[in-house]
Amino acid sequence: MNSTSYIVEAFIPMWSGYLAVAAVFVTTPILIVIDDRRLVVGALAVLFLFVSLLFTNVLATQIAGIKLIVYSIVWIIIFICVQQNGWGYTDDSKEVYGLVLSAKIRFRIFAVIIVGLIGWQLVGKNSLPFPIVTEYVALGATQLVFQGLLLLAIARQPLKIGLGILVMFSGFGLLYSAVEPSLMVVGMLGVVDIAVALVICYLELIWKTNTQ
Amino acid sequence: MSLPMLMMSIPVLTGVLVYNLRRWIWVQATLVCGAMLILLVLVLQAPVDQLVVLAGRDIHFRSSWEILGRSFVLLPNDRYILTFIFVSVLGFALGGAMVSVTILFYPVVLSLVSIIMAIMFVQPFIYAALFIQIGAVICVFMIVDYKYSQVAGALRYLAFVSIGVPFILMAGWQIEMYQIRPDDATLLKQASLMLGVGVLILLAVVPFHSWMPIMARKSPPIVTAFMIGVVHAAIVFFLIDMLVQYDWLRNNPQFFFAFRIGGMLMIFAGGLFVISQRSFGGLMGYSALIDWGCTLVAIGLRLPDSLGVAAMIICARVITLVAWGLGAGCILGVNNSSDDVRLKIARHPFATLSMIVGGLSLAAIPCTVGFPARWALLKMLARIHPDYAIVLLVSGLCAWVGYIRLITEMIDFSSIMSGELYRTMLKNPARMVLSVFIVASVIIVGLVPQWLYSKASIMFEHIAIILV
């Protein structure tokens, strides 16, 4: 037991810093740019793991553990949903023709870069109304919020829009937990995340039936 | 016994029962109406914080309910708003029994009643934002099912609510910070800004309005009507609660200016798009946008009389939308091709009448319930902001033109009068009676609006008194 807690205590500070932010920078573009559901669901799992680690910077480790449990439930719901609807691409087109990227993909990459830069500048200028969080947490959180909003804006499939909402909420949750760390708020935000995941699965099933 | 707990539990428990009885629509409708009548009796008659003897037992109805350190408090002013909500749900439940609705309509409506009450009762108010988000998630189950499988409207609605809620949560945090640092006026400025942005997004101000016309075209009409008439109104009630609670907010002229501008944007965009609509659903969606714009402008004027007008618009809209939903529910199906609609119009004259009268009332045609409040607002604006009045007048005229053009295109009055009327009367007398009743209500209340105004203005009387 002691050795486990020692490992956790040693492991969390190492992985919850800039490494977690880097993981956010890598995984959120995958959610936005790529339509292959296998990659999207895999990237979501990695993203949720590192967002949970980022939460240890603003919440007690036990409460961050609750976030990890919530994200695990959300991911399982999404996984089951995708498994029911079929893996592969969200539409019929393969986006990469040999080495040539389609216009849609190029646009998304461009949008991800622009939005990422905007988020970065916002943190750099210190214009966020959240003074307590550390710089790297703020950087990760703003990336999550902005990339989530981008996903909301450009996606058409229920799954992607749902992921946009979840990513945006996870970023907002990071900033908000720093100023409102009460268990009740964390719990209710967790309930909202699970409810969003459930409703997205419902919409995805109906959308798939409709398109078929 | 805690009255808020009792009132929030009744719809949830009835909802569980109704969910298990979802094959029998009339049983569902009866249970929902029964639950609403019980709630009405409770909200109007239950003596709060007094000991009463009921069936030989002493009962003490407390006005608050504490759970996990948070409280749900029933304030005296909430009673009139709750009465409006329960009566509205009663109307939609009756209407829903006569037309095509999604399979989860009744259980979701009951859950939403509980959530709306939670939004109004909960202290501190940041939890209301979370209830708004949960309510939006639940609404999706009512908007879409395997029959009405167009998900775009539900997705937009969910996305926009999800964008708006974080602003309200942040406003809540800044208000808490102000209580710790009362000298820092910047916190109040930021809180007003966040609250304004959040509420305006939730109230579907342009460009966050697109769910409204999409839902009006693709979702079951009575569900859309319920969303626009009741669920959307809950956000206004939340706003009024905020204004009553915080004097710095109601004394902030920029906050009200934002509402006036937001409302005018809705009126302008609604007028711009309503004239080009080729479907009754689209017309209704953009007319509702104009109507909601009027509500925001009326609140934004920050006058005691204009708040009465806002309350009148909200109440009139519900009567109008029940009429529209009842009619359109028969006429507009899943597949809304023009020929299908023409055929159904010829076969269902009473439903057609109900849909048209409801639609025209939403567009504020004279002699309907939608007109008096719009006229009162127009007169106020002409006195204070003549430029706003011109925009409102032109947008209203655009809605009229849109309706008149579509009615002349889609309806052949001679075929309706050639015997179909009699056959329809025999086919579904309950629907006919309800259609006639609601159409008569729309016209009579439109001709004699004082009765409705006296009832509606009580809803916002407390805030009007504070503003004076």
Side-chain angles (χ1 to χ4, degrees):
Chain A
M1 188 69 186
N2 284 337
S3 60
T4 312
S5 58
Y6 174 76
I7 291 167
V8 169
E9 278 170 19
F11 169 84
I12 286 175
M14 198 165 58
W15 289 76
S16 62
Y18 280 104
L19 195 66
V21 178
V24 167
F25 268 98
V26 173
T27 49
T28 44
I30 294 175
L31 297 181
I32 297 165
V33 175
I34 294 171
D35 279 337
D36 187 338
R37 287 168 179 232
R38 283 165 295 198
L39 274 173
V40 166
V41 173
L44 187 69
V46 177
L47 178 70
F48 278 166
L49 180 67
F50 280 100
V51 170
S52 303
L53 284 170
L54 276 174
F55 266 106
T56 57
N57 292 299
V58 289
L59 293 171
T61 314
Q62 292 87 344
I63 300 175
I66 295 173
K67 291 301 273 189
L68 181 63
I69 293 167
V70 167
Y71 285 139
S72 306
I73 295 168
V74 168
W75 185 81
I76 289 167
I77 293 168
I78 300 285
F79 178 83
I80 292 170
C81 166
V82 175
Q83 199 180 33
Q84 291 283 319
N85 284 332
W87 297 91
Y89 285 79
T90 49
D91 55 11
D92 293 333
S93 64
K94 305 272 183 195
E95 268 71 27
V96 183
Y97 307 95
L99 290 173
V100 182
L101 295 174
S102 68
K104 188 167 75 177
I105 296 288
R106 274 177 281 167
F107 167 73
R108 285 179 186 178
I109 291 170
F110 183 68
V112 164
I113 292 167
I114 295 289
V115 166
L117 287 173
I118 292 170
W120 191 16
Q121 283 299 307
L122 205 64
V123 177
K125 286 181 181 170
N126 209 8
S127 51
L128 285 174
F130 294 94
I132 300 166
V133 288
T134 54
E135 193 182 335
Y136 59 88
V137 173
L139 184 61
T142 47
Q143 285 305 312
L144 287 165
V145 170
F146 280 84
Q147 304 291 3
L149 280 172
L150 177 66
L151 196 51
L152 271 180
I154 64 173
R156 291 175 66 192
Q157 300 95 353
L159 180 71
K160 286 263 186 158
I161 292 178
L163 293 183
I165 295 171
L166 289 169
V167 169
M168 187 187 75
F169 272 169
S170 63
F172 173 73
L174 262 175
L175 294 170
Y176 192 64
S177 298
V179 294
E180 186 71 58
S182 77
L183 195 58
M184 181 81 170
V185 172
V186 173
M188 281 199 73
L189 283 172
V191 170
V192 166
D193 281 345
I194 293 171
V196 169
L198 280 172
V199 84
I200 288 308
C201 288
Y202 176 74
L203 287 174
E204 179 74 13
L205 282 171
I206 286 174
W207 180 73
K208 194 79 178 174
T209 314
N210 192 28
T211 49
Q212 279 170 354
Chain B
M1 185 183 286
S2 164
L3 194 57
M5 185 200 69
L6 184 66
M7 289 176 68
M8 286 192 290
S9 312
I10 288 172
V12 172
L13 295 175
T14 316
V16 173
L17 186 65
V18 162
Y19 177 77
N20 289 302
L21 296 169
R22 59 191 180 279
R23 287 182 181 210
W24 296 283
I25 193 127
W26 271 103
V27 178
Q28 288 188 67
T30 310
L31 281 170
V32 174
C33 292
M36 288 308 116
L37 288 172
I38 291 169
L39 288 171
L40 264 175
V41 170
L42 275 176
V43 79
L44 292 174
Q45 299 296 328
V48 181
D49 292 330
Q50 288 173 35
L51 198 66
V52 286
V53 181
L54 192 72
R57 287 184 175 190
D58 292 343
I59 294 180
H60 180 238
F61 286 115
R62 277 182 287 115
S63 61
S64 68
W65 178 40
E66 272 80 35
I67 179 169
L68 297 170
R70 273 75 202 171
S71 54
F72 293 85
V73 184
L74 172 66
L75 299 169
N77 302 323
D78 292 339
R79 291 184 164 221
Y80 305 109
I81 294 173
L82 288 174
T83 306
F84 161 78
I85 290 167
F86 299 148
V87 172
S88 306
V89 172
L90 197 71
F92 281 107
L94 276 176
M98 316 258 176
V99 295
S100 168
V101 289
T102 46
I103 196 157
L104 292 174
F105 176 65
Y106 287 107
V108 170
V109 162
L110 285 168
S111 319
L112 284 171
V113 170
S114 282
I115 285 175
I116 291 171
M117 280 193 272
I119 291 169
M120 291 171 61
F121 295 160
V122 74
Q123 304 276 346
F125 84 92
I126 54 162
Y127 294 95
L130 295 169
F131 282 118
I132 289 170
Q133 179 68 41
I134 292 170
V137 169
I138 291 173
C139 282
V140 171
F141 291 103
M142 170 175 77
I143 299 164
V144 177
D145 70 357
Y146 281 99
K147 194 176 167 193
Y148 292 91
S149 56
Q150 297 288 332
V151 298
L155 276 173
R156 291 272 175 97
Y157 178 68
L158 186 63
F160 290 148
V161 172
S162 303
I163 292 170
V165 161
F167 286 100
I168 294 174
L169 286 171
M170 291 205 302
W173 168 66
Q174 275 153 343
I175 291 168
E176 276 180 13
M177 289 299 291
Y178 178 72
Q179 284 162 358
I180 299 165
R181 298 202 307 253
D183 298 336
D184 194 351
T186 323
L187 286 168
L188 285 188
K189 263 187 198 169
Q190 285 182 343
S192 304
L193 180 71
M194 296 289 174
L195 201 60
V197 171
V199 170
L200 286 175
I201 292 172
L202 294 177
L203 283 171
V205 167
V206 177
F208 301 98
H209 69 287
S210 57
W211 64 268
M212 217 183 261
I214 294 175
M215 215 184 276
R217 283 191 213 107
K218 306 285 183 189
S219 298
I222 200 87
V223 173
T224 309
F226 180 74
M227 288 289 300
I228 294 172
V230 181
V231 179
H232 214 53
I235 309 295
V236 171
F237 301 144
F238 168 70
L239 170 71
I240 296 293
D241 269 0
M242 293 296 95
L243 290 173
V244 171
Q245 209 170 337
Y246 300 113
D247 55 345
W248 52 264
L249 190 64
R250 60 175 182 267
N251 292 328
N252 184 347
Q254 286 166 337
F255 187 77
F256 288 91
F257 176 70
F259 273 81
R260 285 202 300 275
I261 293 297
M264 286 317 296
L265 270 174
M266 288 169 93
I267 292 169
F268 179 74
L272 197 67
F273 292 112
V274 75
I275 201 160
S276 59
Q277 295 304 305
R278 299 276 171 190
S279 69
F280 284 105
L283 271 177
M284 178 277 205
Y286 284 107
S287 303
L289 191 68
I290 296 173
D291 207 46
W292 265 109
C294 292
T295 314
L296 293 200
V297 172
I299 293 171
L301 286 176
R302 205 185 167 274
L303 299 168
D305 289 347
S306 70
L307 285 167
V309 169
M312 175 76 173
I313 295 174
I314 290 171
C315 291
R317 188 183 304 127
V318 168
I319 301 173
T320 293
L321 286 173
V322 172
W324 186 85
L326 189 64
C330 296
I331 306 292
L332 309 177
V334 180
N335 183 13
N336 285 329
S337 71
S338 298
D339 291 338
D340 276 351
V341 173
R342 277 199 192 93
L343 194 68
K344 282 181 184 166
I345 282 173
R347 283 185 182 166
H348 301 283
F350 281 104
T352 308
L353 182 71
S354 185
M355 180 178 74
I356 288 173
V357 170
L360 291 176
S361 177
L362 202 58
I365 291 260
C367 302
T368 60
V369 66
F371 178 73
R374 185 76 67 88
W375 180 246
L377 180 66
L378 196 65
K379 282 204 292 188
M380 273 182 198
L381 285 176
R383 206 176 57 241
I384 308 165
H385 301 286
D387 42 350
Y388 290 3
I390 292 166
V391 175
L392 177 58
L393 192 66
V394 172
S395 289
L397 287 172
C398 288
W400 292 9
V401 170
Y403 268 105
I404 290 164
R405 197 186 56 190
L406 200 65
I407 288 168
T408 52
E409 270 178 23
M410 301 294 281
I411 300 175
D412 180 6
F413 288 99
S414 58
S415 73
I416 290 176
M417 299 310 289
S418 62
E420 286 288 346
L421 198 69
Y422 179 68
R423 278 198 292 281
T424 313
M425 281 167 73
L426 294 178
K427 212 191 238 171
N428 197 336
R431 188 188 291 165
M432 187 209 73
V433 168
L434 192 61
S435 296
V436 169
F437 173 73
I438 195 79
V439 166
S441 304
V442 168
I443 293 168
I444 291 169
V445 179
L447 293 171
V448 192
Q450 292 83 359
W451 178 82
L452 183 66
Y453 181 77
S454 64
K455 304 281 177 204
S457 58
I458 296 172
M459 278 202 309
F460 294 164
E461 202 175 31
H462 53 299
I463 179 75
I465 290 167
I466 295 171
L467 286 180
V468 169

